[in-house]
């Protein structure tokens, strides 16, 4: 069979099975097995098995369940309640102050948890009723919670960065550091948008009438001690070269457990539920990694990867158009697929191309993560959209949620363009870090 025909059958088969609702991990693994049998015969199945085993036992991926466990502990720790009270007392009298504070809390949780769902669920239960009761615009409330929650995959530690680092063979520690400045930039753009909107139209985020004395404000600041210590434990140890990302994940999980104990949220039931949730989520991620790795191996064995690489590199067009095309592909796929599946599927194909074109794979990884953050918010299958639907009152429809996120997606596009134009936003901090063991 001609190469182009095999490629067409593979792409159409992948798209058709995903549209029909087949699990993505089994779809990619199944196509890889059938394709390898066609190209190599039965002996080729050894390659499928070794690829699956090699990816499943990659040391980098040990950090994934540890960060998931850390996130689960944090969701039950009660830290968010203290942090929201701080925001309420210090910025409630500012127009849009509670929305700004919600974004800040989401950014802090992003620096502790590594996934977006923790901040989205927690702020959806705490901040949403508080802001709605005080007359905040519904779209403003929904948008800032979902967009702020999505910062969890850009501000490290980030599960998606770990997966990208394993696929692209880029230092996960440097990826973590590379996400800090873009993540803070994006959070700052969100805050700027909220303040401007509420300044133009005070009804979007009215000021809170309650007054607090300076001493009442000062006393509540004790609630920031544990979050700050946890961020230093996780990110500071990586930056200083004391811990690898995997080791810092273990430290972070233990620190989150201590937070639960200090806030008297520790119960055996909570521990059991956290561990079960971690196991289920980690199993889903690992199956996707294994399936996509097998599929990528088949793509390489069949010769698709070399042909596509050769075609794109030899195109007589400005190399930046290729980067733009890749971002468009990421954006479209992000509307429908899990980010872990996208990076393991397209990473082995795109990373060699961008290296051939002279681009930094670390910088490209940050672009990818920003794009996947948009994927968490874009209809029809944005992950945070459905998480938010699960915590809001029944009176709020999916159309309300879809409309509320539009301006924040626009802000994310602006941030993506800024990082593309000024790569130093992503590469400056990794260049300063003391690198440990990976």
């Amino acid at each position: 069979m001609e190469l182009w025909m095999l490629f067409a059958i593979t792409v159409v088969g992948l798209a058709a099975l995903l549209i029909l609702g087949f699990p993505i991990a089994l779809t990619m693994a199944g196509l890889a097995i059938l394709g390898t049998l066609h190209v190599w015969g039965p002996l080729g199945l050894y390659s499928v098995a070794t690829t699956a085993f090699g990816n499943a036992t990659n040391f980098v991926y040990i950090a994934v369940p540890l960060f998931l466990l850390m996130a689960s502990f944090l969701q039950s720790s009660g830290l968010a309640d203290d942090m929201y009270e701080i925001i309420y007392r210090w910025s409630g009298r500012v127009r849009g102050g509670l929305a700004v504070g919600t974004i800040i809390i989401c950014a802090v949780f992003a620096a502790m948890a590594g996934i977006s769902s923790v901040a989205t669920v927690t702020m959806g239960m705490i901040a949403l009723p508080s802001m709605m009761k005080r007359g905040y615009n519904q779209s403003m409330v929904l948008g800032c919670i979902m967009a702020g929650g999505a910062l969890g995959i850009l501000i490290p530690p980030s599960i998606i960065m770990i997966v990208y680092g394993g696929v692209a063979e880029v230092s996960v520690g440097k990826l973590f550091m590379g996400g800090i400045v873009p993540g803070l930039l994006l959070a700052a753009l969100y805050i700027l948008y909220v303040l401007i909107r509420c300044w133009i139209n005070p009804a979007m985020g009215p000021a809170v009438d309650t007054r607090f004395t300076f001493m009442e404000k000062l006393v509540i600041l004790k609630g920031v001690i544990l979050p700050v210590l946890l961020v230093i434990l996780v990110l500071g140890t990586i930056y200083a070269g004391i811990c690898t990302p995997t080791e810092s994940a273990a430290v972070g999980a233990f620190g989150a457990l201590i937070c639960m104990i200090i806030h008297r949220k520790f119960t055996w039931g909570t521990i059991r539920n956290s561990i079960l949730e971690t196991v289920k989520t980690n199993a889903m991620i690992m199956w996707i990694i294994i399936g996509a790795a097998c599929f990528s191996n088949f793509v390489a064995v069949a010769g698709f990867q070399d042909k596509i690489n050769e075609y794109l590199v030899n195109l007589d067009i400005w190399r930046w158009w290729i980067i733009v095309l890749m971002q468009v592909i990421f954006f479209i796929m992000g509307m429908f697929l899990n980010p872990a599946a996208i990076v393991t599927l397209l990473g082995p194909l795109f990373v060699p191309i961008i290296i051939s074109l002279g681009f930094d794979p670390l910088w490209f990884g940050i672009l990818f993560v920003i794009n996947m953050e948009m994927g968490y918010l874009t209809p029809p299958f944005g992950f945070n959209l459905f998480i938010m639907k699960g915590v809001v009152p029944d009176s709020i429809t999916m159309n309300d949620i879809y409309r509320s996120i539009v301006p924040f997606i626009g802000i994310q596009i602006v941030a993506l363009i800024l990082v593309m134009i000024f790569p130093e936003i992503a590469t400056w901090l990794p260049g300063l870090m003391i690198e440990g063991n990976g």
Side-chain angles (χ1 to χ4, degrees):
M1 185 184 296
E2 299 245 357
L3 186 62
W4 68 268
M5 188 177 294
L6 180 60
F7 177 76
I9 292 173
T10 302
V11 171
V12 171
L14 179 65
L17 290 172
L18 292 178
I19 290 171
L20 290 172
F22 282 77
I24 186 168
L26 298 181
T27 297
M28 291 188 291
L31 287 174
I33 291 171
L34 292 175
T36 303
L37 279 171
H38 174 77
V39 175
W40 270 6
L43 290 177
L45 295 181
Y46 178 77
S47 171
V48 175
T50 54
T51 297
F53 180 79
N55 277 270
T57 56
N58 189 332
F59 178 74
V60 169
Y61 295 141
I62 296 176
V64 174
L66 291 171
F67 278 128
L68 289 172
L69 184 62
M70 175 182 169
S72 187
F73 284 162
L74 284 173
Q75 192 165 330
S76 307
S77 67
L79 283 178
D81 298 272
D82 287 352
M83 292 170 65
Y84 191 76
E85 184 63 25
I86 293 171
I87 295 300
Y88 179 71
R89 294 191 186 187
W90 280 89
S91 65
R93 292 186 59 78
V94 177
R95 291 178 186 174
L98 295 182
V100 168
T102 298
I103 293 169
I104 293 173
I105 294 173
C106 287
V108 174
F109 259 77
M112 294 189 293
I115 57 177
S116 70
S117 60
V118 174
T120 306
V121 171
T122 306
M123 287 296 97
M125 292 188 293
I126 296 173
L128 188 143
S130 175
M131 286 191 280
M132 295 291 286
K133 184 172 67 176
R134 289 167 176 81
Y136 271 64
N137 176 270
Q138 178 177 281
S139 290
M140 177 66 76
V141 173
L142 296 173
C144 72
I145 292 175
M146 289 186 289
L151 290 169
I153 70 168
L154 179 57
I155 297 177
S158 165
I159 302 297
I160 300 303
M161 287 182 183
I162 296 171
V163 177
Y164 176 85
V167 170
E169 298 182 355
V170 176
S171 165
V172 174
K174 288 196 172 186
L175 281 168
F176 278 4
M177 294 304 111
I180 291 177
V181 177
L184 295 178
L185 171 65
L186 190 52
L189 290 174
Y190 289 157
I191 290 171
L192 187 63
Y193 165 76
V194 169
L195 290 175
I196 291 174
R197 283 294 304 275
C198 293
W199 178 72
I200 295 172
N201 182 6
M204 295 289 289
V208 175
D209 293 331
T210 310
R211 292 180 179 272
F212 294 95
T213 66
F214 181 73
M215 186 54 66
E216 288 174 324
K217 292 180 179 180
L218 201 60
V219 168
I220 198 64
L221 286 179
K222 68 180 185 295
V224 304
I225 296 174
L226 286 177
V228 169
L229 287 176
L230 197 55
V231 171
I232 292 172
L233 276 174
V234 175
L235 298 183
T237 53
I238 297 174
Y239 182 82
I242 299 170
C243 294
T244 65
T246 302
E247 292 162 348
S248 75
V251 172
F254 180 73
L257 178 62
I258 297 300
C259 291
M260 284 179 62
I261 294 172
I262 291 174
H263 279 124
R264 300 179 181 179
K265 301 291 185 179
F266 178 92
T267 65
W268 290 115
T270 302
I271 295 296
R272 177 179 176 275
N273 291 337
S274 295
I275 292 174
L276 284 175
E277 193 63 34
T278 298
V279 170
K280 288 191 290 185
T281 307
N282 185 65
M284 177 195 72
I285 293 172
M286 290 308 300
W287 274 116
I288 290 173
I289 289 172
I290 291 170
C294 293
F295 187 80
S296 299
N297 181 67
F298 159 62
V299 168
V301 167
F304 301 154
Q305 186 171 315
D306 292 336
K307 280 294 182 183
I308 294 172
N309 194 339
E310 179 185 344
Y311 175 75
L312 289 177
V313 171
N314 292 330
L315 275 178
D316 188 23
I317 60 172
W318 192 32
R319 63 177 187 154
W320 281 92
W321 285 123
I322 296 177
I323 292 292
V324 171
L325 174 63
M326 290 179 178
Q327 300 311 309
V328 172
I329 292 172
F330 283 148
F331 181 77
I332 294 171
M333 294 189 72
M335 295 180 183
F336 304 98
L337 297 181
N338 183 293
I342 297 172
V343 68
T344 47
L345 183 62
L346 295 182
L349 187 65
F350 284 176
V351 172
I353 294 172
I354 63 107
I355 292 174
S356 300
L357 293 172
F359 292 108
D360 185 349
L362 187 148
W363 164 78
F364 184 76
I366 301 302
L367 293 181
F368 167 77
V369 175
I370 296 173
N371 220 314
M372 291 303 98
E373 188 174 341
M374 284 190 276
Y376 269 68
L377 302 176
T378 46
F381 301 121
F383 189 54
N384 276 18
L385 306 178
F386 291 98
I387 289 178
M388 180 54 68
K389 180 57 180 171
V391 298
V392 299
D394 292 338
S395 58
I396 297 177
T397 66
M398 281 305 297
N399 283 335
D400 295 329
I401 292 174
Y402 287 162
R403 283 196 299 270
S404 70
I405 207 62
V406 172
F408 292 92
I409 294 174
I411 294 170
Q412 289 174 328
I413 294 172
V414 170
L416 180 68
I417 293 171
L418 287 174
V419 177
M420 288 178 68
I421 296 173
F422 304 105
E424 297 80 10
I425 295 174
T427 59
W428 170 70
L429 197 55
L432 298 178
M433 69 180 288
I434 301 170
E435 192 166 6
N437 300 320

